[in-house]
Amino acid sequence: MAKFLVQKSAPLKGEVKISGSKNAVLPIMAAALLTEEKCIIKDAPALRDVEVMCSLLESLGATVEKDLENNKVIIAADGDIACEAPYDLVKMMRASILVLGALLLRTGRALIHLPGGCAIGKRPVELHLKGLKALGVTIDEEQLLRGIVDASADKLRGNTIYLDFPSVGATEVIIMAASLAEGTTVLENAAQEPEIVDLANFLNKMGARIKGAGTDTIKVEGVEKLKGVSHHVIPDRIEAGTFMVGAAITKGNVLIKNIVPDHLKAVIAKLRECGVEISTTDEGMRVRGDRKPIVSTDIKTLPYPGFPTDMQSPFMALLTVANGPSVVIETVFENRFMHVGEFNRMGANIKTEGNCAIIPGDKNLQGAQVVATDLRAGAAVVLTGLVADGMTEVSQVYHVDRGYEDFVEKLRTLGANILRVEE
Ligand code: EPZ
């Protein structure tokens, strides 16, 4: 098992190029199952989750050419496709559920063994299943009680579906299934994340007829067939936000390249409230934490375009050293404060009550042995390690490897004092 050794670092300086989005590439890879033709996916980040998705698609019978050194994945689901997603792969990556809609369309059946809860919450899929049932899919309720999604459908027919919560995964599964259903589907209270827009763009290139992605109402007119296409994945807005916080917390001056400012409006607004100077240039976004003292602010996570839950722990790292107290409210996941205990081992003295955390701020953090409790929290404790006195040892960094391509190398290029060692 690897771990990170992090020590107090000079202000981060230089430039960093953001990789392709993990949360865009995973549904797009799943969508490649909807055609027998070759799909070429570019700017795919070299991440553990992308490797797992490649293995999953191969286990289902697709031909997958993985060229992650060049951030490219080529998928051709041109043979017989199996209907069962093996548990040993699904338990490694919850996003395996994203193949549900495509499997139903290709084989008329989908058998996916759901893992139990994870560090940040139960992660139920009842909204995914509500949508599919509305499209004519039968779900074996007995199997579901055992955590197995056993879905079957001869034909999918369009329908109007309301999502009780704008679930990202449910929105993605439903628009994939609706793209080849007979008739029109209207999805109301849909998730509006940029990754949904990227998936819809990919599907429309394939010949789908999807309108309204990025708004709360998505309309899909089913078509007969989809074709293979080539597609560049959007940049990872959460990786970008993480490095923006890195520049802020170390009082650095960093140019962040390959970034879509529009995808980060809430994060940019909050960083500016903390006194961080952020300017857009034609090369990217320049983030300066060296211009003014970092002051506190309050955060409430919400579905997009609200403040992203995936940025909650990285942003909290900044708040532990900001001048003054901050309040963080997590409304998206029911258990996403596991990192608070790790920050407190470094002296942050954060108190939590339910989904609310009070961060006193003004702390001189001390290095400590900490754990990455989820992929974003792992990045967050690295950020506090960059400004803490003494050594911070981060273990269970396989979580970080799931969501951040070349995280250590990128930080070291900016002057961070971080090493990856085998335990
Ligand atoms: C996606 O997860 C992302 N993962 C998550 O990123 C991200 O945190 C999340 O969206 C929210 O933005 C990928 O895209 C692979 P949801 P997803 O369905 O689709 C509840 C990361 O760090 N819910 O929008 O699983 C659910 O329990 C990961 O990169 C139901 O109650 O998120 C959660 O509390 C972590 N019933 C909330 O909605 C359902 O049927 C958001 O879940 C579905 C979801």
Side-chain angles (χ1 to χ4, degrees):
M1 300 270 270
K3 64 182 175 183
F4 295 153
L5 303 181
V6 189
Q7 296 189 66
K8 181 171 275 195
S9 300
L12 298 188
K13 286 204 174 7
E15 57 184 59
V16 62
K17 183 175 183 289
I18 298 303
S19 300
S21 163
K22 167 177 88 77
N23 293 348
V25 76
L26 293 176
I28 285 171
M29 290 172 73
L33 286 174
L34 293 167
T35 178
E36 301 202 1
E37 298 177 15
K38 187 182 284 192
C39 288
I40 302 168
I41 300 165
K42 297 174 181 167
D43 298 336
L47 298 172
R48 194 161 154 267
D49 275 10
V50 174
E51 308 251 0
V52 172
M53 184 58 91
C54 287
S55 305
L56 175 59
L57 295 175
E58 278 176 330
S59 74
L60 292 170
T63 308
V64 178
E65 196 183 320
K66 200 170 50 175
D67 178 13
L68 288 175
E69 292 70 43
N70 298 307
N71 297 114
K72 195 161 70 168
V73 174
I74 300 177
I75 300 163
D78 51 2
D80 288 340
I81 296 297
C83 69
E84 180 164 2
Y87 180 67
D88 59 335
L89 288 172
V90 179
K91 74 176 182 234
M92 290 170 71
M93 184 183 65
R94 321 189 53 75
S96 306
I97 190 76
L98 292 172
V99 301
L100 181 53
L103 279 189
L104 279 163
L105 286 160
R106 280 301 294 267
T107 71
R109 183 143 184 243
L111 206 52
I112 303 179
H113 300 248
L114 292 179
C118 66
I120 58 178
K122 289 193 305 292
R123 311 298 290 272
V125 293
E126 88 279 352
L127 294 176
H128 307 54
L129 303 183
K130 171 183 179 179
L132 292 178
K133 280 193 250 185
L135 299 179
V137 173
T138 306
I139 305 292
D140 182 322
E141 300 299 338
E142 277 296 301
Q143 291 269 61
L144 195 55
L145 291 175
R146 296 170 44 226
I148 299 170
V149 173
D150 186 347
S152 52
D154 298 331
K155 185 157 198 51
L156 271 64
R157 286 181 185 75
N159 203 338
T160 296
I161 300 159
Y162 172 78
L163 286 182
D164 304 62
F165 179 88
S167 155
V168 171
T171 300
E172 291 166 344
V173 163
I174 292 165
I175 65 173
M176 275 189 246
S179 60
L180 287 173
E182 190 178 272
T184 299
T185 295
V186 177
L187 183 58
E188 293 171 341
N189 198 29
Q192 306 178 47
E193 275 72 1
E195 294 75 29
I196 308 279
V197 176
D198 206 25
L199 172 63
N201 289 340
F202 178 73
L203 288 166
N204 283 339
K205 261 193 213 172
M206 295 171 80
R209 302 176 65 180
I210 301 169
K211 289 193 174 64
T215 74
D216 64 356
T217 304
I218 300 177
K219 186 174 175 183
V220 184
E221 288 180 50
V223 295
E224 289 291 313
K225 195 171 166 8
L226 295 174
K227 64 183 191 316
V229 294
S230 172
H231 184 78
H232 283 270
V233 169
I234 56 170
D236 193 311
R237 60 193 169 98
I238 305 301
E239 183 195 15
T242 304
F243 278 95
M244 294 172 88
V245 172
I249 198 171
T250 60
K251 301 190 184 318
N253 178 350
V254 175
L255 176 66
I256 302 195
K257 305 175 82 167
N258 193 36
I259 180 173
V260 180
D262 254 12
H263 293 170
L264 283 150
K265 280 183 179 165
V267 174
I268 291 167
K270 285 310 205 179
L271 283 170
R272 283 176 170 153
E273 282 178 23
C274 291
V276 180
E277 183 187 279
I278 299 173
S279 51
T280 304
T281 72
D282 52 12
E283 285 183 288
M285 297 202 85
R286 181 162 294 283
V287 182
R288 299 194 64 162
D290 59 344
R291 305 289 267 194
K292 286 191 273 185
I294 299 296
V295 297
S296 64
T297 187
D298 297 336
I299 298 286
K300 181 174 188 176
T301 68
L302 286 167
Y304 195 89
F307 189 91
T309 174
D310 293 347
M311 277 301 300
Q312 184 249 103
S313 53
F315 207 98
M316 193 184 282
L318 180 65
L319 299 176
T320 63
V321 296
N323 297 342
S326 303
V327 175
V328 172
I329 299 175
E330 170 59 56
T331 73
V332 177
F333 285 101
E334 72 269 24
N335 182 33
R336 204 168 193 178
F337 282 153
M338 305 281 277
H339 43 281
V340 167
E342 305 309 308
F343 285 145
N344 284 346
R345 290 172 55 76
M346 301 176 76
N349 191 22
I350 300 168
K351 302 228 175 347
T352 62
E353 183 63 44
N355 70 341
C356 176
I358 315 282
I359 300 98
D362 289 317
K363 288 291 175 280
N364 293 320
L365 300 176
Q366 304 303 313
Q369 291 182 312
V370 292
V371 167
T373 53
D374 76 58
L375 69 154
R376 307 302 172 188
V381 289
V382 167
L383 297 179
T384 44
L386 295 178
V387 296
D389 292 324
M391 175 75 76
T392 297
E393 279 189 25
V394 184
S395 56
Q396 298 189 16
V397 298
Y398 56 85
H399 284 296
V400 181
D401 295 340
R402 291 187 51 198
Y404 291 92
E405 183 182 37
D406 296 334
F407 190 53
V408 170
E409 294 76 9
K410 287 177 178 174
L411 281 169
R412 288 176 62 83
T413 305
L414 297 172
N417 193 340
I418 179 171
L419 263 182
R420 181 192 188 98
V421 295
E422 289 310 316
E423 243 173 330

